């Protein structure tokens, strides 16, 4: 919120009465939004411009105070508020994908447990140390770091490697010999390290070999990466003797999913290596990570549970296609609810590596706030950027009007391109045909 706006609100409250309580920041923002909307509803063009500027000055931090129900406003005001909500949603989503910061203090370096808790409380990232790891060399690392900078330094002084544990859903520092630390680069909330590089003869080609390199992409575990997109045309390299390395199959595009709830994936890059002795080499390229950013709950009250009703949150729209309650026993119901989930930005269809995030988040809520999760579900892609989900609920007491339906979905799907630059990589290892 801008300082002039805060001053204006304070003056208004003072004039209302000397004994009035000072407004909390949230109520002050809500008051400012209400006043700005009244200006938007004015017939005077200058007043409408003033209202729009007041809202823009508040910034994305005011999103939670923006009214949800816009039915009572004019079409022009509804359009402005809807566009502003989507803009603020995207701004907050993009901000959430920036690297987290972590301050390592002397009190935290006394034990690996304190380091774990310090990282988790400051970055919301969960990391753990193997029981064999000692923190004796850590005190020299006091300072401020991004998450991956701090992790890389800890690996260096504790002689460990931080690797994703899929069964435990966190990164673990495990002991490794110092010679086994691979080349790595850090880009924002991502870290990329080399897994392997090998040379293999190509059939019917006496002038070049295939350089197959593999790369481990790690994402801060607080984030929700969906898949990584690697277009081979974006990758190239050079040898130490300044010979160019070009893609073996330039049109190829890989989309590799992060395992469910995972934060690490390995992807290959294939280049043509000149028919020469293996030497040091360099690599450049781009890996684009598709994130689900900002989740919200779309709720359908009992009186809204009918086909055709649409609710929106940010860049996602949820439409009820079928709602069917049937008796299934004495004072019990069975319900079938089918929805269509659609994103404004479209994009690739909901392949398997996308679908997993969308089908688990539906439930019915009874009058006493009892939660009834779905007994089963069915998933089907419908069109570009949309999918059909059907949920079955059983053993529901009472009547259909006793229930509301809630569906939690990511409101923003964002791409972040990570440029990757490596110099003086170890010579690739020749392998037999």
């Amino acid at each position: 919120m801008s300082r002039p706006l805060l001053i204006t609100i304070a003056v208004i409250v003072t004039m209302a009465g000397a004994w009035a309580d000072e407004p909390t920041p949230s109520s002050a923002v809500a008051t400012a939004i209400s006043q700005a909307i009244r200006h938007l509803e004015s017939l005077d063009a200058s007043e409408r411009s003033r209202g729009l500027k007041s809202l823009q000055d508040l910034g994305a931090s005011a999103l939670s105070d923006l009214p949800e129900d816009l039915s009572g406003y004019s079409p022009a005001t509804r359009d402005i508020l809807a566009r502003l909500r989507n803009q603020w949603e995207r701004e907050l989503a993009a901000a959430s994908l920036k690297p987290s910061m972590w301050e390592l203090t002397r009190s935290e370096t006394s034990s690996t447990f304190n380091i774990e808790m310090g990282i988790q409380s400051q970055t919301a990232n969960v990391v753990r140390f193997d029981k064999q790891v000692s923190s004796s060399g850590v005190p020299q690392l006091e300072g401020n770091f991004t998450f991956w900078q701090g992790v890389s330094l800890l690996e260096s002084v504790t002689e460990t490697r931080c690797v994703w544990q899929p069964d435990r859903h966190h990164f673990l520092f495990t002991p490794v010999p110092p010679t086994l630390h691979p080349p790595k680069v850090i880009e924002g909330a991502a870290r990329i390290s080399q897994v392997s590089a090998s040379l293999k003869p190509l059939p019917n080609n006496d002038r070049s070999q295939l350089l197959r390199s593999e790369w481990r992409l790690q994402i801060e575990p607080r984030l929700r990466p969906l898949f990584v997109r690697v277009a081979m045309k974006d990758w190239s390299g050079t040898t130490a003797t300044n010979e160019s390395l070009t893609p073996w199959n330039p049109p190829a595009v890989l989309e590799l999913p992060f395992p469910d709830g995972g934060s690490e994936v390995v992807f290959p890059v294939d280049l043509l290596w000149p028919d020469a002795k293996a030497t040091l080499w360099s690599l450049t390229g781009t890996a684009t990570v598709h994130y689900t950013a900002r989740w919200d709950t779309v709720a359908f009250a009992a009186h809204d549970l009918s086909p055709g009703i649409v609710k929106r949150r940010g860049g996602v729209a949820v439409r009820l296609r079928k709602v069917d309650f049937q008796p299934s026993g004495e004072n019990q119901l069975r319900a079938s609810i089918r929805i269509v989930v659609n994103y404004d930005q479209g994009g690739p269809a909901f392949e398997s590596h996308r679908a997993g995030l969308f089908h688990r988040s539906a439930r019915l809520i009874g009058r006493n706030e009892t939660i009834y999760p779905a007994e089963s579900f069915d998933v089907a892609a419908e069109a570009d950027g949309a999918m059909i989900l059907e949920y079955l609920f059983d053993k529901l007491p009472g009547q259909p009007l006793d229930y509301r339906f809630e569906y939690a979905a990511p409101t923003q799907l964002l791409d972040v391109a990570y440029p990757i630059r490596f110099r003086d990589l170890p010579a690739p290892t020749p392998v037999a045909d």
Side-chain angles (χ1 to χ4, degrees):
M1 185 191 307
S2 65
R3 186 174 181 82
L5 185 57
L6 281 170
I7 294 173
T8 301
I9 294 170
V11 170
I12 293 172
V13 172
T14 302
M15 293 175 62
W19 300 103
D21 292 333
E22 183 177 349
T24 63
S26 180
S27 65
V29 171
T31 300
I33 288 176
S34 296
Q35 184 176 358
I37 291 176
R38 285 197 296 272
H39 290 310
L40 288 178
E41 292 283 82
S42 172
L43 297 178
D44 188 310
S46 62
E47 285 291 294
R48 294 196 299 272
S49 296
R50 178 183 173 189
L52 177 58
K53 185 177 186 307
S54 296
L55 289 173
Q56 291 171 335
D57 288 344
L58 288 173
S61 61
L63 177 63
S64 59
D65 290 287
L66 209 60
E68 289 281 351
D69 185 5
L70 305 181
S71 59
Y73 303 122
S74 67
T77 298
R78 291 200 300 268
D79 181 62
I80 289 173
L81 294 178
R83 286 189 286 110
L84 194 61
R85 174 179 291 279
N86 194 45
Q87 174 189 332
W88 286 353
E89 282 269 7
R90 293 190 68 81
E91 288 178 9
L92 292 176
S96 73
L97 301 180
K98 293 181 179 179
S100 58
M101 299 300 298
W102 163 52
E103 181 182 8
L104 181 62
T105 63
R106 185 171 295 276
S107 62
E108 290 169 352
T109 61
S110 58
S111 71
T112 55
F113 175 78
N114 288 342
I115 295 172
E116 292 171 357
M117 294 302 100
I119 293 175
Q120 186 169 338
S121 64
Q122 295 180 61
T123 69
N125 293 317
V126 178
V127 298
R128 295 291 182 261
F129 284 85
D130 187 279
K131 293 180 179 179
Q132 303 177 38
V133 177
S134 169
S135 64
S136 59
V138 176
Q140 60 184 291
L141 293 183
E142 285 187 291
N144 290 288
F145 313 100
T146 66
F147 173 74
W148 286 117
Q149 287 172 342
V151 165
S152 296
L153 289 170
L154 285 171
E155 287 176 325
S156 177
V157 300
T158 59
E159 296 186 359
T160 60
R161 185 183 299 173
C162 192
V163 179
W164 181 250
Q165 306 295 299
D167 55 333
R168 300 178 184 177
H169 288 81
H170 64 240
F171 281 101
L172 180 69
F173 288 88
T174 58
V176 295
T179 55
L180 293 182
H181 285 282
K184 60 178 70 72
V185 296
I186 296 169
E187 286 292 338
R191 183 172 76 163
I192 303 93
S193 57
Q194 187 180 40
V195 177
S196 64
S198 60
L199 290 176
K200 182 179 180 180
L202 286 168
N204 303 321
N205 191 329
D206 297 331
R207 301 181 57 187
S208 300
Q209 302 178 78
L210 176 67
L211 168 61
R212 161 62 63 90
S213 59
E214 292 190 318
W215 304 89
R216 175 175 283 108
L217 173 63
Q218 298 174 310
I219 303 296
E220 289 192 34
R222 66 183 173 86
L223 302 176
R224 298 194 184 191
L226 204 51
F227 61 88
V228 60
R229 184 176 186 271
V230 182
M232 290 303 149
K233 65 180 179 60
D234 297 334
W235 293 80
S236 63
T238 57
T239 67
T241 54
N242 291 323
E243 293 184 272
S244 296
L245 306 177
T246 57
W248 177 57
N249 184 12
V253 178
L254 303 179
E255 282 192 356
L256 301 176
F258 286 82
D260 189 17
S263 297
E264 180 177 296
V265 69
V266 174
F267 64 88
V269 173
D270 291 335
L271 301 175
L272 291 174
W273 186 275
D275 187 18
K277 186 174 75 172
T279 66
L280 297 178
W281 59 293
S282 300
L283 178 72
T284 64
T286 300
T288 301
V289 176
H290 193 71
Y291 287 97
T292 59
R294 292 185 61 83
W295 286 63
D296 205 347
T297 298
V298 182
F300 295 85
H303 61 271
D304 287 332
L305 282 177
S306 59
I309 298 294
V310 179
K311 297 289 183 76
R312 297 187 62 86
R313 288 292 184 277
V316 64
V318 179
R319 176 166 58 90
L320 292 175
R321 174 169 283 191
K322 183 183 80 170
V323 179
D324 184 30
F325 284 86
Q326 296 292 335
S328 65
E330 186 174 351
N331 198 34
Q332 286 192 337
L333 300 169
R334 179 183 294 112
S336 173
I337 297 179
R338 185 183 301 167
I339 62 175
V340 179
V341 182
N342 188 277
Y343 283 84
D344 293 340
Q345 71 180 62
F350 285 99
E351 296 92 345
S352 59
H353 53 269
R354 276 188 164 195
L357 284 172
F358 299 89
H359 59 60
R360 300 184 186 87
S361 48
R363 58 188 187 174
L364 284 172
I365 313 293
R367 286 188 183 273
N368 59 356
E369 296 302 310
T370 302
I371 298 174
Y372 298 89
E375 295 285 334
S376 62
F377 60 86
D378 187 37
V379 183
E382 182 184 60
D384 189 31
M387 88 179 333
I388 300 173
L389 302 165
E390 183 165 355
Y391 298 93
L392 297 178
F393 302 86
D394 202 4
K395 299 179 181 179
L396 304 172
Q399 301 299 316
L401 287 176
D402 294 335
Y403 294 94
R404 72 177 185 271
F405 176 71
E406 292 186 352
Y407 176 76
T411 59
Q412 298 291 335
L413 301 176
L414 298 180
D415 289 333
V416 178
Y418 294 108
I420 297 170
R421 304 287 185 271
F422 282 96
R423 293 183 179 276
D424 298 327
L425 290 165
T429 304
V431 296
D433 197 358

